[in-house]
Amino acid sequence: MPSSFDAIIIGAGLSGLVAACELADAGRNVLILDQESGQNIGGQAFWSFGGLFFINSPEQRRMGIKDSYDLAYRDWMGTAAFDRKEDYWPRKWAEAYLAFAAGEKRSWLHERKIRFFPVVGWAERGGYAATGHGNSVPRFHITWGTGPGLISPFVHRVYEAVKKNLITLKFRHKVSDLIIENGIVCGVHGEVLEDDKKLRGLKSSRIKTGEFNFYAQAIIVTSGGIGANKELVRRNWPERLGKAPENMLCGVPDYVDGSMMEICQKAGARMINPDRMWHYTEGIKNYDPIWSNHGIRILPGPSSLWFDAFGNRLPAPFFPGFDTLGTLKYIMQTGYDYSWFILNQKIISKEFALSGSEQNPDLTNKSWRLILGRAFGKSATAPVEKFKKQGEDFIVKNNPDDLIAAMNTLTGNNLIDSKSLINEIKARDMETIHSFSKDRQISAIHAARKYRGDRWIRTAKPHPILDRGDGPLIAVRLHILTRKTLGGIETNLYGQQLDKDGNP
Ligand SMILES: Cc1cc2nc3c(=O)[nH]c(=O)nc-3n(C[C@H](O)[C@H](O)[C@H](O)COP(=O)(O)OP(=O)(O)OC[C@H]3O[C@@H](n4cnc5c(N)ncnc54)[C@H](O)[C@@H]3O)c2cc1C
């Protein structure tokens, strides 16, 4: 079959848009197909916080953070803990990505007019030995304008290339097969779906109105992960994390359905590490859902007290924002798939952020006035305060007895013993009255506050949680929330799919 395009890109998320821009810049003729409508261009990245990983950036240096490729390399290896034969290419990708993040990544984005919030955040703080999991230093750079700010230059460039006939965009085109001729993938087959004008992020119709075949010299698959496909998440759930949770919230839109995985496998691509996923443990049910079973992740500062379903405090280092997968494993071992934060107004005001562009109007709309409110206000951000009032997982009370009674009522299982939980909080509170502590969470908070960024906008000064002046008390029931897919189609550093013998 003659090729009508130099390349076909399956998926108009950020990855697909970036690939299309690069190809169009090189004068190539590109077709982008996506099962969703044009309202969804940019995919998940639109909804994201736009948190980016850079190493030794100007933002880090201005905040007094000394970072280096070597430090980041050790952190990455300690976190990924590559230990399988299949990790050959993932390790190579990690090394290439680290070099990119320490090298041209920031300037490449900067040239494309993307800017960054000056205070660098600290994700996955670790808490083990220096060779273990986590980031030794803050590296989470928030895009100015969050997800929409990140996709905007690429969306713009794609539409410019459409005008020049270099890119053809076809929405509502769902690929269902890769066409193979003489052992080479040379095209795609699929279904045209009925027009659907629903707003961005809403689940769209799957009614078929036609079929298509397109051919090209190169087929690029940028179809995202499996996070909205509960069936696939469960089927691939890692043994090391125990049983898959009975209840999970969904942290990604419905179109993150993993459909291309099986299609690529059928065409001979090798799927590796499907059990490697990244799900969060601080999910709350969205009171105003956009996609199915919509959950929001709390991006917590380090001070909330974390309890399991029985009201037992999670052991070190399972503090908020320290080790997501370690905490997930611990929670699943309790036999329940939820846990609790207990905190007060002072902590929620300073430390709660919600992941998602729509949950951060200050950063998304680039409003310094709202950002200053976040830093210095007595209330949390407006979206957090709304969740506090309307979210079914939030309980707000003036005294600990009422709080715990309401926690037991919410779950209906009476698992928490009020007396022992209050004792635990009182003991922890006594550790905050001086600068010494045997409580590792308090020590970690003192250490975090040595960093200006944490002190300014992320970490409240250690104080007694039960102190009425800093109240009211707040409990938040936390669910497991699906998000990232780490395994997938094995490729070499040219992005070529490899077969079972490792050949492109
Ligand atoms: C709320 C939220 C917050 C996040 N925050 C961050 C963050 O701060 N930092 C960070 O690094 N990451 C974050 N992420 C993750 C990040 O946004 C995603 O990993 C990234 O955007 C994925 O981009 P993608 O182009 O690979 O996939 P997607 O955005 O999922 O795009 C894939 C596209 O392929 C299409 N598609 C799939 N199958 C087919 C098919 N068979 N036929 C045709 N089309 C198909 C889909 O419709 C979709 O449009 C966040 C994600 C969410 C949802």
Side-chain angles (χ1 to χ4, degrees):
M1 253 295 157
S3 297
S4 345
F5 299 95
D6 292 320
I8 295 173
I9 296 177
I10 306 167
L14 182 58
S15 315
L17 299 184
V18 172
C21 289
E22 293 292 297
L23 284 163
D25 284 356
R28 303 293 180 185
N29 184 12
V30 183
L31 170 66
I32 306 179
L33 300 171
D34 201 293
Q35 60 190 349
E36 295 306 317
S37 61
Q39 290 94 291
N40 286 283
I41 194 163
Q44 293 180 66
F46 172 88
W47 299 105
S48 78
F49 205 33
L52 300 178
F53 178 89
F54 299 141
I55 302 164
N56 191 20
S57 68
E59 287 76 17
Q60 285 176 303
R61 291 195 294 272
R62 280 195 285 268
M63 292 299 294
I65 301 161
K66 286 199 181 119
D67 199 6
S68 67
Y69 174 87
D70 290 342
L71 186 63
Y73 183 93
R74 202 191 56 204
D75 285 350
W76 193 297
M77 295 304 151
T79 301
F82 294 121
D83 60 355
R84 301 176 181 172
K85 208 158 72 25
E86 296 88 328
D87 286 337
Y88 177 79
W89 284 109
R91 182 189 282 273
K92 294 267 177 224
W93 272 108
E95 286 166 355
Y97 190 71
L98 283 160
F100 180 55
E104 65 175 327
K105 180 178 176 189
R106 185 183 176 284
S107 55
W108 188 84
L109 290 166
H110 205 264
E111 271 168 30
R112 281 150 187 82
K113 308 256 180 308
I114 292 169
R115 298 289 181 268
F116 312 100
F117 185 58
V119 182
V120 185
W122 197 348
E124 295 296 306
R125 296 172 194 242
Y128 304 91
T131 48
H133 168 87
N135 284 302
S136 303
V137 296
R139 295 195 176 103
F140 189 73
H141 297 68
I142 301 165
T143 304
W144 190 227
T146 69
L150 186 58
I151 65 167
S152 145
F154 300 102
V155 173
H156 177 74
R157 277 171 68 204
V158 162
Y159 280 114
E160 286 299 304
V162 169
K163 282 190 214 150
K164 292 181 195 153
N165 290 325
L166 282 168
I167 294 181
T168 306
L169 270 169
K170 286 191 186 292
F171 293 106
R172 304 297 284 155
H173 280 61
K174 182 174 175 60
V175 173
S176 55
D177 258 316
L178 297 177
I179 302 170
I180 302 178
E181 281 175 13
N182 302 321
I184 291 169
V185 178
C186 62
V188 298
H189 168 78
E191 297 158 2
V192 183
L193 303 176
E194 75 170 348
D195 207 16
D196 192 327
K197 298 255 180 311
K198 283 200 198 81
L199 290 178
R200 190 190 271 276
L202 294 175
K203 188 173 183 172
S204 66
S205 154
R206 284 293 175 261
I207 293 177
K208 173 180 151 183
T209 58
E211 293 192 6
F212 63 83
N213 284 344
F214 293 110
Y215 296 86
Q217 285 177 30
I219 312 293
I220 300 178
V221 181
T222 52
S223 56
I226 64 170
N229 188 330
K230 233 188 208 179
E231 221 287 291
L232 273 184
V233 170
R234 280 184 199 293
R235 200 191 309 157
N236 292 304
W237 190 260
E239 240 172 65
R240 66 182 181 285
L241 292 184
K243 210 171 105 226
E246 209 131 287
N247 303 297
M248 281 181 273
L249 295 177
C250 189
V252 294
D254 294 89
Y255 53 72
V256 189
D257 59 13
S259 60
M260 281 308 297
M261 304 286 177
E262 210 171 303
I263 295 166
C264 292
Q265 253 178 320
K266 210 173 92 193
R270 194 158 96 107
M271 206 60 62
I272 55 168
N273 298 326
D275 62 334
R276 289 201 171 137
M277 323 173 189
W278 188 268
H279 303 309
Y280 287 109
T281 44
E282 314 94 341
I284 47 175
K285 199 157 188 180
N286 194 346
Y287 64 88
D288 186 15
I290 299 168
W291 53 78
S292 310
N293 194 25
H294 191 167
I296 299 283
R297 184 203 172 198
I298 299 170
L299 283 159
S303 302
S304 299
L305 283 179
W306 208 334
F307 296 94
D308 67 18
F310 298 95
N312 297 319
R313 192 165 165 203
L314 266 52
F318 305 136
F319 312 133
F322 276 66
D323 176 11
T324 295
L325 292 188
T327 310
L328 175 56
K329 183 174 177 184
Y330 184 86
I331 291 170
M332 290 316 298
Q333 280 169 0
T334 65
Y336 286 83
D337 48 27
Y338 67 89
S339 61
W340 294 98
F341 274 168
I342 293 186
L343 59 154
N344 60 15
Q345 183 62 30
K346 187 167 179 172
I347 295 174
I348 204 170
S349 306
K350 184 113 180 183
E351 300 199 2
F352 265 37
L354 301 173
S355 181
S357 50
E358 82 289 6
Q359 301 295 340
N360 294 277
D362 51 354
L363 293 158
T364 301
N365 300 322
K366 306 179 183 177
S367 162
W368 278 108
R369 187 181 60 77
L370 290 177
I371 288 167
L372 290 174
R374 182 194 285 251
F376 300 112
K378 279 227 178 267
S379 324
T381 61
V384 171
E385 287 293 337
K386 263 193 160 173
F387 261 94
K388 206 177 92 189
K389 283 198 187 75
Q390 298 180 43
E392 67 175 55
D393 298 308
F394 282 75
I395 300 169
V396 182
K397 296 285 175 192
N398 284 324
N399 69 68
D401 288 309
D402 288 353
L403 190 82
I404 295 161
M407 289 161 74
N408 277 328
T409 307
L410 182 65
T411 54
N413 55 20
N414 245 4
L415 286 179
I416 302 176
D417 175 53
S418 182
K419 210 167 143 208
S420 75
L421 195 142
I422 294 173
N423 272 343
E424 187 73 46
I425 305 177
K426 280 186 175 158
R428 174 266 176 211
D429 279 0
M430 281 181 77
E431 297 280 314
T432 63
I433 54 176
H434 43 62
S435 54
F436 306 99
S437 180
K438 68 172 182 184
D439 186 300
R440 279 180 55 193
Q441 186 172 7
I442 305 285
S443 305
I445 296 167
H446 284 304
R449 283 179 54 85
K450 291 199 175 124
Y451 168 50
R452 287 205 291 275
D454 267 323
R455 218 164 47 240
W456 289 343
I457 55 169
R458 264 327 246 159
T459 307
K461 196 169 172 191
H463 62 280
I465 283 183
L466 295 179
D467 197 337
R468 279 177 180 253
D470 295 322
L473 291 170
I474 301 162
V476 190
R477 180 176 54 179
L478 306 168
H479 306 269
I480 311 296
L481 174 94
T482 64
R483 181 86 95 221
K484 292 177 193 178
T485 308
L486 307 181
I489 300 162
E490 184 179 37
T491 68
N492 60 21
L493 292 188
Y494 294 107
Q496 292 172 299
Q497 282 186 24
L498 304 175
D499 66 17
K500 61 178 173 25
D501 302 316
N503 300 314

